[in-house]
Amino acid sequence: MLNAGQGIVDEVEAAIRAGSAEKCIEAAKRVTGLFLASAGSFNSEQVELFDNVLERLVKTIELRALADISARMALTHISEQLAPVTQAPPAIIRRLASNDEIRIARPILQESSRLNTEDLVEIAKTKSELHLLAVAGRWWLKEVVTDALLARRFASVSHRLVSNPGAKVSADGFAIILAQAEHDPVLAVQTGIRADLPPELRVQLLHDATEEVRSRLLQRAPSHLFEEIRHAIAAVAAGVEREMSRARDFTAAKRHVARLKDSGELNEAALLGFARQRMYEETIAALAELAQASIEVIRPLMQSLRSEGLLVPCRAAGLSWETTAAVMECRYSTGSMGPVELANAKSQFTRITHANADRMLRFWQVRASQPPKPGERSR
């Protein structure tokens, strides 16, 4: 091997001196082939020799790779050949993994066991989104690596990680994912069915999730998580109902709305402002005034998780869809309605005429003002 090693070094020196990319590429292919032929039998000194030789060749080829497609193809091929080899020369592996050309780096990033934790963290901190995606698909990842990947806040990387059962995610990492999942139903479902999602974070996800996401979570839940998710959804739903139905004092809200009315400032814009700020009492009081109804009629509609009833006073008040949607979302202390729920509500809203909405609201108003019949529970 000593003589062969010297012959390889001499061949490389000649190729580099000649300054020919073609000769360097040919030499790199030959050196890689020689290494692969007996990779399992080399000692550490021999691996180091190949490492030094290949690194010199690759450095030379990289200078041409920016403009030469054949050089890029050669480096990609070397990367693909070395990626699955457990004894691959470590220096050349790190060099290929850090190449800005993702086609060259990807095989190493996805597969090579020669990259250590520090290598992966450095790549996660410094390289492109495509490099991070390749790392996120590795069959096994420690929390320190996923933390570094998630810190860059790429949604595509979060999707790849939560769908990778071999990627370990810390509580801090899951917190980043949950923040992204608030506006990404697919990510919310993928995250919700992770077996390692801490129970308190699963409850948080479900609390902020739409009904559509909760339903899809139950459909996708593996058997060992189904009961946990079902109980969490029930607990969250009960919590939402308690939030909606808890005792509230409308005194200050009614005074505020009355002052706006007296000054001529009570209008749709004022209601939209209340709703967007999730000012629950003020939203109800303002909607009641604009729809010419009482708080006693509007509040039960706001307490309901169904949207149909609440559309009636909004239509009767002549509100736009934008304001109506904001009023509906004001029912929740956090989270938002899903796109499917909103689309269904908008379709219903457009079908309700102002006259029909006004007539129905007047009927509800009369019924609410009547005393309960004997034996009937007071509302």
Side-chain angles (χ1 to χ4, degrees):
M1 177 64 203
L2 189 60
N3 292 335
Q6 187 57 52
I8 291 171
V9 172
D10 291 342
E11 181 180 343
V12 169
E13 292 288 355
I16 292 174
R17 277 198 306 273
S20 165
E22 291 75 16
K23 286 189 186 246
C24 286
I25 290 171
E26 190 57 41
K29 288 179 180 178
R30 181 168 133 68
V31 172
T32 303
L34 285 171
F35 176 80
L36 293 173
S38 306
S41 62
F42 292 139
N43 60 33
S44 57
E45 283 188 23
Q46 291 167 332
V47 171
E48 185 178 0
L49 170 64
F50 278 101
D51 208 359
N52 292 334
V53 168
L54 277 172
E55 189 170 22
R56 292 189 64 198
L57 284 168
V58 167
K59 278 183 183 179
T60 305
I61 297 170
E62 281 177 338
L63 296 175
R64 299 293 186 96
L66 292 174
D68 189 338
I69 190 169
S70 63
R72 292 197 297 274
M73 289 175 62
L75 291 178
T76 300
H77 185 58
I78 291 172
S79 179
E80 290 170 346
Q81 288 180 299
L82 293 178
V85 179
T86 56
Q87 284 189 303
I92 193 61
I93 287 292
R94 285 192 292 271
R95 187 172 195 90
L96 292 169
S98 297
N99 196 289
D100 288 338
E101 174 58 62
I102 188 59
R103 286 176 294 182
I104 297 170
R106 185 183 286 115
I108 303 295
L109 296 176
Q110 289 179 331
E111 191 174 359
S112 179
S113 60
R114 283 300 231 178
L115 292 176
N116 60 33
T117 298
E118 290 72 24
D119 296 330
L120 295 173
V121 169
E122 180 64 21
I123 287 164
K125 289 179 177 179
T126 60
K127 305 305 288 187
S128 75
E129 180 179 358
L130 292 176
H131 287 72
L132 271 62
L133 269 173
V135 173
R138 289 172 71 89
W139 71 276
W140 179 263
L141 290 171
K142 294 181 179 180
E143 289 183 357
V144 65
V145 178
T146 60
D147 280 348
L149 291 168
L150 291 167
R152 300 283 298 278
R153 300 306 202 271
F154 290 121
S156 60
V157 174
S158 297
H159 276 272
R160 181 70 59 84
L161 285 175
V162 297
S163 62
N164 179 358
K168 303 303 175 186
V169 182
S170 69
D172 289 342
F174 273 124
I176 293 173
I177 294 172
L178 259 57
Q180 295 172 314
E182 287 183 17
H183 309 289
D184 188 336
V186 174
L187 182 60
V189 173
Q190 288 177 320
T191 307
I193 60 175
R194 287 274 304 204
D196 57 343
L197 179 66
E200 65 276 11
L201 292 182
R202 199 185 314 280
V203 171
Q204 178 186 325
L205 183 151
L206 290 168
H207 184 276
D208 296 338
T210 64
E211 288 300 320
E212 179 189 3
V213 167
R214 293 174 189 170
S215 174
R216 287 170 61 189
L217 266 172
L218 279 177
Q219 293 171 1
R220 293 275 310 278
S223 57
H224 63 282
L225 282 178
F226 182 84
E227 284 302 315
E228 179 185 339
I229 291 175
R230 187 174 68 82
H231 285 308
I233 288 175
V236 167
V240 169
E241 289 171 3
R242 285 196 297 273
E243 170 66 20
M244 289 179 171
S245 61
R246 68 182 174 85
R248 293 179 182 272
D249 184 358
F250 286 85
T251 305
K254 287 195 288 187
R255 280 202 300 264
H256 187 184
V257 169
R259 284 196 297 270
L260 290 176
K261 183 180 179 181
D262 292 342
S263 63
E265 297 176 274
L266 180 61
N267 51 29
E268 181 174 348
L271 173 58
L272 179 59
F274 291 146
R276 282 181 170 170
Q277 295 176 66
R278 311 252 174 160
M279 299 170 68
Y280 187 83
E281 289 87 351
E282 287 79 1
T283 299
I284 290 178
L287 178 58
E289 282 288 346
L290 292 173
Q292 297 181 17
S294 65
I295 287 176
E296 288 70 25
V297 169
I298 302 299
R299 186 180 180 189
L301 302 177
M302 287 285 283
Q303 288 175 337
S304 174
L305 291 174
R306 298 177 66 87
S307 302
E308 296 92 331
L310 189 55
L311 296 175
V312 171
C314 291
R315 184 54 113 177
L319 303 182
S320 65
W321 168 246
E322 178 187 9
T323 302
T324 300
V327 169
M328 289 193 296
E329 296 210 330
C330 182
R331 294 176 296 170
Y332 307 94
S333 57
T334 60
S336 61
M337 297 175 66
V340 174
E341 292 174 281
L342 278 172
N344 290 337
K346 185 176 183 180
S347 177
Q348 292 175 324
F349 180 74
T350 56
R351 291 198 300 267
I352 301 173
T353 66
H354 181 275
N356 284 341
D358 191 63
R359 188 180 306 112
M360 190 174 296
L361 190 59
R362 299 286 76 77
F363 171 74
W364 290 345
Q365 184 68 48
V366 170
R367 189 175 64 177
S369 64
Q370 293 175 344
K373 295 176 182 179
E376 186 179 45
R377 185 163 58 94
S378 179
R379 292 179 181 272

